[in-house]
């Protein structure tokens, strides 16, 4: 991962644009003396009509927001069908991720599967192996839940040190949506679990319909607890890149288990130990042994603004520091923010009480004096687990884990408002 | 498993009709899965060999298959090409910086390799290997990792005898035991450390992609340019080359081809032949590429690729070239075909 194909000029160009925008504030100030023409002169939009209701049957964001998009890191993978892109978390607010910019991770590309061609099979140790159509699924009692999905490899490029300049790239393999679907428990019970005998030591194997045939083993306890077979996200059909028409939702657990284009659930005596749970998604420790079945995503947070892609452009004075926090083991209880690299901390304001296995938004409203900041955030969840520093994680795991890096992120904000990804002592 | 896939095709529909609604479930929804349907999808193989079909294959057979169907991406000796995964080597590296994790050095179970290759490879043409072929290729990967001899034959019978070097290299998640005592605590709020130094900057490595990828910036510029021209000059002269906007759109479409085809400077044959100068090129004529018989014969008959024939081929490869080796569903959208052909035409 040392291929250096990224270009710095574009980023510099971007920062200059940001600073120029800061300049624009000053110009606007000068204009204000004589009266801001945006106010004193009739503007075209105040005079002519806009477009009609038939112009855009399904809307995209306005063109001025066309830089709020998923981005990928081309040097990461050989091609883009088995690859990942990142949610522009630096430019979003609130907690719900719009589907259109929610990150994608595929192992064989995003496929197009019609509802009419969709089949879900339940087989293995069940009383009656069943096949459901999409229309069948819509007839089971439904639930709605907001959950985050984080890829286990989120921040994985940062194990050996600060690499990527931007919250989108360091923390953007996450999204948070409201799902509508049927509890997997309901479907398993429809097939009947008497044949499985004691359920405690049983597993399910879940598998997708795409060419990667991505499959994961999940212990029966979890399967019967809160796993959802979802067909809607944020109120509308899943996007094809997120598994249209049906995906699995495995709350709090690593994203790879949320099998897309779900086609089969098999009740089994033990785990399959598929490629995605042996070769991948196992965490190698310093001594060369590897942890497996590291499913839960531990408490984590990141400041999304200011951050390298979202510099401060307004100079000293009121500044909103904001970010996201989440835990796969419960709800976010509290987030602390440090502006001095972790010497002192202040408790931030949660926009709403933390929800189980869902993202929380936090704010810290400060009066910035224009001096440099070493910004950090630290999440605490309902277990009392406090997000550790990256060094504390490395002390236990070494640097080869790839997955589950939930260490505290530091942004170095300079007096000119630019921010950089750094590590501190 | 091709062995009984033929059977499935013959009987699945008939039995599905016979199967009728399932009994007994609380909601009475869904219908009973037929044995043929279950056989078609229930392919996973467990570490104890459950799910392995009868069959066998030798290292020697595996080598031929691997070179033909896997080596473009994984290398002739499974050593990996470029950023495509390595499947061999890496023994003794797991406790070092940048461990090399391969089937030989890392994978705890052989069943995982058999199952994954059988269901998910070759990339871009999955689920086409027979059980015997999968045994042979798996045997060859073991051989590439120096785990078996060249005369080894792998079968469902000796499958569990193969010892995987890293079988004991895994522990079950122990974060609750090892990490919770350290991380479940009252967080420090004041005087948490004496001083703070920056120890590392991301800018030193500078591997972050631009905030606007160069590609998009270029496309945006191309978008703007013709419009400006049109304003200045109501009837612009017909452009010499293909429309840059179309070429830019074609470059995006070409992402669907990239897994198999290279184009541009130094392009080599991969799963498919390189596509430099393909317009005007004799069909099936790239040196050193093993074409399907149909495509090779079209070339021998003097057939040359032009925009029209490419369009027909790309719409439905298998219709235009029966039994083509190009395992691609085709581009159903005419605009995509036009764009990608414009893009291809820009490479000599």
């Amino acid at each position: 991962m040392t291929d250096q194909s990224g270009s710095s000029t574009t980023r510099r160009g971007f920062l200059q644009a940001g600073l120029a925008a800061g300049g624009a504030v000053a110009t606007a100030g000068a204009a204000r003396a004589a009266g801001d023409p945006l106010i004193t002169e009739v503007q075209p939009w105040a005079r002519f009509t806009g477009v009609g209701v038939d112009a855009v049957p399904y809307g995209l964001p306005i063109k001025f927001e066309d830089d709020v998009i998923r981005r990928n890191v081309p040097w990461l993978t050989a091609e883009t069908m088995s690859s990942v892109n990142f949610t522009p978390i630096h430019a979003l607010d609130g907690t719900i991720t719009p589907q259109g910019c929610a990150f994608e991770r595929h192992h064989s590309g995003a496929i197009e599967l019609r509802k009419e061609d969709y089949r879900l099979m339940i087989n293995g140790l069940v009383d009656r192996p069943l096949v459901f159509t999409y229309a069948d699924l819509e007839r089971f009692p439904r639930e709605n839940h907001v959950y985050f999905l984080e890829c286990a490899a989120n921040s994985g490029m940062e194990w050996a040190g600060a690499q990527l300049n931007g919250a989108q790239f360091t923390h953007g393999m996450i999204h948070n949506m409201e799902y509508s679907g049927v509890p997997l428990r309901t479907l398993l019970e429809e097939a009947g679990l008497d044949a499985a005998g004691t359920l405690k030591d049983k597993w399910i194997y879940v598998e997708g319909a795409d060419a990667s045939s991505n499959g994961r083993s999940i212990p029966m306890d979890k399967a019967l607890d809160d796993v959802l077979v979802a067909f809607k996200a944020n109120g509308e059909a899943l996007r094809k890149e997120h598994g249209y028409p049906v995906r699995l939702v495995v709350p709090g657990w690593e994203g790879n288990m949320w099998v897309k284009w779900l086609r089969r659930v098999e009740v089994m005596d033990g785990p399959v130990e598929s490629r995605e749970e042996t070769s991948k998604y196992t965490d190698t420790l310093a001594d060369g042994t590897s942890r497996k079945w590291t499913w839960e995503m531990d408490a984590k947070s990141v400041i999304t603004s200011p951050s390298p892609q979202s510099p401060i452009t307004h100079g000293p004075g009121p500044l909103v520091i904001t970010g996201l926090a989440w835990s796969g083991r419960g709800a976010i209880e509290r987030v602390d923010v440090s502006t001095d690299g972790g010497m002192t901390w202040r408790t931030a304001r949660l926009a709403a009480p933390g929800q189980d296995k869902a993202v929380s938004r936090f704010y810290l409203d400060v009066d910035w004096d224009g001096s440099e900041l070493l910004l950090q955030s630290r999440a605490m969840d309902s277990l009392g687990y406090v997000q550790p520093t990256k060094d504390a994680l490395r002390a236990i795991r070494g640097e080869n884990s790839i997955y589950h890096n939930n260490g505290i992120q530091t942004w170095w904000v300079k007096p000119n408002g630019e921010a950089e990804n750094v590590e501190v002592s | 498993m091709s062995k009984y896939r033929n059977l499935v095709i013959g009987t699945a529909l008939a039995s599905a009709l016979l199967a009728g609604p399932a009994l007994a479930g609380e909601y009475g929804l869904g219908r009973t899965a037929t044995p043929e349907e279950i056989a078609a999808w229930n392919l996973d193989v467990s570490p104890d060999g459950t799910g392995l079909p009868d069959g066998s294959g030798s290292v020697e057979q595996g080598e031929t298959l691997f070179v033909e169907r896997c080596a473009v991406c994984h290398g002739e000796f499974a050593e990996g090409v470029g950023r495509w995964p390595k499947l061999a080597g890496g023994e003794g590296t797991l406790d070092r910086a940048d461990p090399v994790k391969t089937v030989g050095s890392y994978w705890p179970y052989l069943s995982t390799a058999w199952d994954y290759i059988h269901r998910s490879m070759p990339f871009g043409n999955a689920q086409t290997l027979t059980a015997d072929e999968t045994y042979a290729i798996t045997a060859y990967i073991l051989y590439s990792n120096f785990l078996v001899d060249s005369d080894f034959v792998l079968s469902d019978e000796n499958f569990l005898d193969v010892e995987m070097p890293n079988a004991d290299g895994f522990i079950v998640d122990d974060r609750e035991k090892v990490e919770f005592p350290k991380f479940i605590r009252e967080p420090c709020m004041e005087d948490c450390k004496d001083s703070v130094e920056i120890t590392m900057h991301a800018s030193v490595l500078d591997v972050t992609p631009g905030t606007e990828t160069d590609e998009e910036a270029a496309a945006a510029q191309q978008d703007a340019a013709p419009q400006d021209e049109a304003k200045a000059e109501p009837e612009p002269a017909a452009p010499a080359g293909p429309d840059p906007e179309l070429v830019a759109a074609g470059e995006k479409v070409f992402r669907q081809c990239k897994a198999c085809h290279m184009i541009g400077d130094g392009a080599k044959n991969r799963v498919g032949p390189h596509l430099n100068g393909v317009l005007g090129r004799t069909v099936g004529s790239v040196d050193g590429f093993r074409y399907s018989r149909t495509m090779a014969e079209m070339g021998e008959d003097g057939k040359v690729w032009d925009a029209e024939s490419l369009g027909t081929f790309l719409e439905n490869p298998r219709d235009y070239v029966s039994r083509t080796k190009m395992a691609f569903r085709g581009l159903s959208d005419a605009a995509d075909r036009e764009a990608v052909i414009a893009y291809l035409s820009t490479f000599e």
Side-chain angles (χ1 to χ4, degrees), chain A residues 279-307:
Chain A
S279 168
K280 307 292 165 193
Y281 302 98
T282 46
D283 314 352
T284 301
L285 304 170
D287 68 357
T289 57
S290 304
R291 285 177 176 157
K292 65 173 182 177
W293 305 351
T294 47
W295 301 307
E296 292 92 347
M297 302 307 298
D298 284 320
K300 184 167 172 179
S301 67
V302 64
I303 290 174
T304 52
S305 181
S307 66

Tab-separated table of all heavy atoms in Angstrom, chain A residues 279-307:
chain	number	residue	atom	x	y	z
A	279	SER	N	-9.762	-16.304	5.300
A	279	SER	CA	-8.749	-15.536	4.582
A	279	SER	C	-8.914	-14.053	4.868
A	279	SER	O	-7.942	-13.315	5.012
A	279	SER	CB	-8.895	-15.797	3.084
A	279	SER	OG	-8.129	-14.882	2.332
A	280	LYS	N	-10.166	-13.601	4.925
A	280	LYS	CA	-10.484	-12.200	5.190
A	280	LYS	C	-11.229	-12.103	6.514
A	280	LYS	O	-11.735	-13.100	7.023
A	280	LYS	CB	-11.362	-11.609	4.079
A	280	LYS	CG	-10.800	-11.804	2.685
A	280	LYS	CD	-9.537	-10.994	2.475
A	280	LYS	CE	-8.805	-11.470	1.247
A	280	LYS	NZ	-7.442	-10.955	1.150
A	281	TYR	N	-11.347	-10.885	7.028
A	281	TYR	CA	-12.114	-10.615	8.242
A	281	TYR	C	-11.652	-11.458	9.433
A	281	TYR	O	-12.450	-11.864	10.273
A	281	TYR	CB	-13.627	-10.728	7.980
A	281	TYR	CG	-14.023	-9.764	6.890
A	281	TYR	CD1	-14.168	-10.186	5.570
A	281	TYR	CD2	-14.142	-8.405	7.153
A	281	TYR	CE1	-14.435	-9.278	4.542
A	281	TYR	CE2	-14.402	-7.504	6.137
A	281	TYR	CZ	-14.559	-7.945	4.844
A	281	TYR	OH	-14.810	-7.062	3.833
A	282	THR	N	-10.354	-11.755	9.456
A	282	THR	CA	-9.711	-12.293	10.640
A	282	THR	C	-8.584	-11.320	10.943
A	282	THR	O	-8.028	-10.716	10.024
A	282	THR	CB	-9.158	-13.702	10.390
A	282	THR	OG1	-8.446	-13.708	9.135
A	282	THR	CG2	-10.267	-14.729	10.326
A	283	ASP	N	-8.258	-11.138	12.217
A	283	ASP	CA	-7.387	-10.036	12.619
A	283	ASP	C	-6.061	-10.596	13.140
A	283	ASP	O	-6.007	-11.166	14.228
A	283	ASP	CB	-8.046	-9.199	13.715
A	283	ASP	CG	-9.520	-8.875	13.418
A	283	ASP	OD1	-9.978	-9.179	12.302
A	283	ASP	OD2	-10.201	-8.352	14.310
A	284	THR	N	-5.008	-10.405	12.348
A	284	THR	CA	-3.715	-10.986	12.705
A	284	THR	C	-3.012	-10.130	13.767
A	284	THR	O	-2.881	-8.915	13.617
A	284	THR	CB	-2.850	-11.137	11.449
A	284	THR	OG1	-3.552	-11.981	10.532
A	284	THR	CG2	-1.495	-11.754	11.770
A	285	LEU	N	-2.592	-10.790	14.831
A	285	LEU	CA	-1.927	-10.112	15.942
A	285	LEU	C	-0.411	-10.098	15.713
A	285	LEU	O	0.091	-10.761	14.797
A	285	LEU	CB	-2.264	-10.827	17.263
A	285	LEU	CG	-3.770	-10.950	17.549
A	285	LEU	CD1	-4.027	-11.868	18.740
A	285	LEU	CD2	-4.375	-9.567	17.812
A	286	ALA	N	0.293	-9.378	16.574
A	286	ALA	CA	1.736	-9.192	16.376
A	286	ALA	C	2.487	-10.528	16.325
A	286	ALA	O	3.454	-10.675	15.577
A	286	ALA	CB	2.298	-8.310	17.475
A	287	ASP	N	2.035	-11.516	17.105
A	287	ASP	CA	2.783	-12.782	17.146
A	287	ASP	C	2.404	-13.721	15.999
A	287	ASP	O	2.867	-14.856	15.947
A	287	ASP	CB	2.560	-13.483	18.496
A	287	ASP	CG	1.129	-13.987	18.669
A	287	ASP	OD1	0.288	-13.748	17.759
A	287	ASP	OD2	0.843	-14.605	19.711
A	288	GLY	N	1.548	-13.256	15.080
A	288	GLY	CA	1.225	-14.078	13.917
A	288	GLY	C	-0.035	-14.904	14.088
A	288	GLY	O	-0.566	-15.409	13.097
A	289	THR	N	-0.535	-15.063	15.318
A	289	THR	CA	-1.842	-15.726	15.446
A	289	THR	C	-2.921	-14.705	15.075
A	289	THR	O	-2.697	-13.500	15.113
A	289	THR	CB	-2.134	-16.235	16.879
A	289	THR	OG1	-2.035	-15.136	17.766
A	289	THR	CG2	-1.193	-17.331	17.286
A	290	SER	N	-4.084	-15.223	14.721
A	290	SER	CA	-5.135	-14.327	14.259
A	290	SER	C	-6.418	-14.574	15.029
A	290	SER	O	-6.763	-15.720	15.325
A	290	SER	CB	-5.395	-14.564	12.770
A	290	SER	OG	-4.197	-14.403	12.045
A	291	ARG	N	-7.104	-13.476	15.322
A	291	ARG	CA	-8.423	-13.610	15.938
A	291	ARG	C	-9.441	-13.879	14.848
A	291	ARG	O	-9.397	-13.252	13.792
A	291	ARG	CB	-8.808	-12.310	16.616
A	291	ARG	CG	-8.112	-12.031	17.914
A	291	ARG	CD	-8.575	-10.662	18.399
A	291	ARG	NE	-8.021	-10.341	19.699
A	291	ARG	CZ	-7.901	-9.097	20.142
A	291	ARG	NH1	-8.281	-8.078	19.381
A	291	ARG	NH2	-7.417	-8.862	21.335
A	292	LYS	N	-10.354	-14.816	15.119
A	292	LYS	CA	-11.469	-14.999	14.198
A	292	LYS	C	-12.770	-14.689	14.925
A	292	LYS	O	-12.791	-14.540	16.143
A	292	LYS	CB	-11.480	-16.406	13.625
A	292	LYS	CG	-11.722	-17.524	14.627
A	292	LYS	CD	-11.869	-18.838	13.861
A	292	LYS	CE	-12.165	-20.000	14.792
A	292	LYS	NZ	-12.371	-21.244	14.060
A	293	TRP	N	-13.849	-14.577	14.155
A	293	TRP	CA	-15.174	-14.300	14.701
A	293	TRP	C	-15.202	-12.979	15.481
A	293	TRP	O	-15.902	-12.850	16.487
A	293	TRP	CB	-15.669	-15.465	15.593
A	293	TRP	CG	-15.661	-16.785	14.881
A	293	TRP	CD1	-15.440	-16.988	13.548
A	293	TRP	CD2	-15.869	-18.083	15.439
A	293	TRP	NE1	-15.509	-18.336	13.247
A	293	TRP	CE2	-15.766	-19.032	14.400
A	293	TRP	CE3	-16.151	-18.544	16.744
A	293	TRP	CZ2	-15.926	-20.392	14.597
A	293	TRP	CZ3	-16.305	-19.906	16.938
A	293	TRP	CH2	-16.187	-20.818	15.879
A	294	THR	N	-14.460	-12.014	15.015
A	294	THR	CA	-14.484	-10.681	15.629
A	294	THR	C	-15.611	-9.884	14.965
A	294	THR	O	-15.383	-9.050	14.111
A	294	THR	CB	-13.144	-9.957	15.408
A	294	THR	OG1	-12.766	-10.102	14.031
A	294	THR	CG2	-12.052	-10.536	16.274
A	295	TRP	N	-16.827	-10.209	15.382
A	295	TRP	CA	-17.987	-9.674	14.656
A	295	TRP	C	-18.385	-8.269	15.084
A	295	TRP	O	-18.742	-7.441	14.255
A	295	TRP	CB	-19.185	-10.613	14.860
A	295	TRP	CG	-18.940	-12.014	14.379
A	295	TRP	CD1	-18.504	-12.377	13.142
A	295	TRP	CD2	-19.107	-13.223	15.128
A	295	TRP	NE1	-18.407	-13.747	13.068
A	295	TRP	CE2	-18.775	-14.289	14.265
A	295	TRP	CE3	-19.537	-13.495	16.432
A	295	TRP	CZ2	-18.846	-15.620	14.670
A	295	TRP	CZ3	-19.608	-14.818	16.838
A	295	TRP	CH2	-19.260	-15.874	15.963
A	296	GLU	N	-18.378	-8.000	16.410
A	296	GLU	CA	-18.901	-6.711	16.878
A	296	GLU	C	-17.978	-5.572	16.486
A	296	GLU	O	-16.757	-5.699	16.548
A	296	GLU	CB	-19.047	-6.693	18.413
A	296	GLU	CG	-20.118	-7.610	18.943
A	296	GLU	CD	-19.589	-8.992	19.301
A	296	GLU	OE1	-18.443	-9.319	18.912
A	296	GLU	OE2	-20.313	-9.742	19.975
A	297	MET	N	-18.601	-4.442	16.148
A	297	MET	CA	-17.849	-3.229	15.874
A	297	MET	C	-17.801	-2.426	17.175
A	297	MET	O	-18.833	-1.983	17.680
A	297	MET	CB	-18.522	-2.417	14.766
A	297	MET	CG	-18.696	-3.165	13.451
A	297	MET	SD	-17.188	-3.924	12.789
A	297	MET	CE	-16.160	-2.490	12.531
A	298	ASP	N	-16.590	-2.249	17.721
A	298	ASP	CA	-16.458	-1.538	19.004
A	298	ASP	C	-16.720	-0.043	18.840
A	298	ASP	O	-16.654	0.497	17.734
A	298	ASP	CB	-15.052	-1.756	19.569
A	298	ASP	CG	-14.892	-3.142	20.165
A	298	ASP	OD1	-15.845	-3.614	20.823
A	298	ASP	OD2	-13.827	-3.756	19.971
A	299	ALA	N	-16.964	0.607	19.991
A	299	ALA	CA	-17.316	2.036	19.987
A	299	ALA	C	-16.242	2.857	19.289
A	299	ALA	O	-15.039	2.611	19.451
A	299	ALA	CB	-17.503	2.530	21.412
A	300	LYS	N	-16.697	3.832	18.505
A	300	LYS	CA	-15.788	4.605	17.664
A	300	LYS	C	-16.426	5.949	17.358
A	300	LYS	O	-17.649	6.076	17.390
A	300	LYS	CB	-15.559	3.806	16.375
A	300	LYS	CG	-14.568	4.376	15.384
A	300	LYS	CD	-14.247	3.291	14.357
A	300	LYS	CE	-13.420	3.775	13.205
A	300	LYS	NZ	-13.112	2.705	12.242
A	301	SER	N	-15.598	6.925	17.048
A	301	SER	CA	-16.132	8.234	16.664
A	301	SER	C	-15.117	8.929	15.789
A	301	SER	O	-13.952	8.532	15.736
A	301	SER	CB	-16.391	9.084	17.915
A	301	SER	OG	-15.156	9.409	18.534
A	302	VAL	N	-15.566	9.973	15.100
A	302	VAL	CA	-14.652	10.793	14.296
A	302	VAL	C	-15.263	12.184	14.147
A	302	VAL	O	-16.492	12.318	14.045
A	302	VAL	CB	-14.380	10.158	12.909
A	302	VAL	CG1	-15.650	10.091	12.067
A	302	VAL	CG2	-13.295	10.923	12.159
A	303	ILE	N	-14.402	13.177	14.168
A	303	ILE	CA	-14.865	14.541	13.888
A	303	ILE	C	-14.926	14.692	12.375
A	303	ILE	O	-13.933	14.469	11.680
A	303	ILE	CB	-13.919	15.570	14.540
A	303	ILE	CG1	-14.103	15.496	16.058
A	303	ILE	CG2	-14.200	16.981	14.014
A	303	ILE	CD1	-13.141	16.341	16.852
A	304	THR	N	-16.105	15.025	11.873
A	304	THR	CA	-16.266	15.124	10.417
A	304	THR	C	-15.994	16.537	9.925
A	304	THR	O	-15.669	16.744	8.765
A	304	THR	CB	-17.685	14.677	10.005
A	304	THR	OG1	-18.644	15.402	10.792
A	304	THR	CG2	-17.873	13.190	10.230
A	305	SER	N	-16.155	17.527	10.829
A	305	SER	CA	-15.844	18.909	10.459
A	305	SER	C	-15.524	19.696	11.734
A	305	SER	O	-16.271	19.576	12.708
A	305	SER	CB	-17.024	19.545	9.733
A	305	SER	OG	-16.705	20.875	9.365
A	306	PRO	N	-14.416	20.476	11.750
A	306	PRO	CA	-13.451	20.575	10.657
A	306	PRO	C	-12.644	19.294	10.483
A	306	PRO	O	-12.441	18.543	11.433
A	306	PRO	CB	-12.534	21.732	11.091
A	306	PRO	CG	-12.821	21.965	12.532
A	306	PRO	CD	-14.093	21.317	12.889
A	307	SER	N	-12.189	19.085	9.255
A	307	SER	CA	-11.379	17.917	8.910
A	307	SER	C	-10.690	18.264	7.590
A	307	SER	O	-11.016	19.296	6.992
A	307	SER	CB	-12.279	16.677	8.788
A	307	SER	OG	-13.161	16.815	7.701
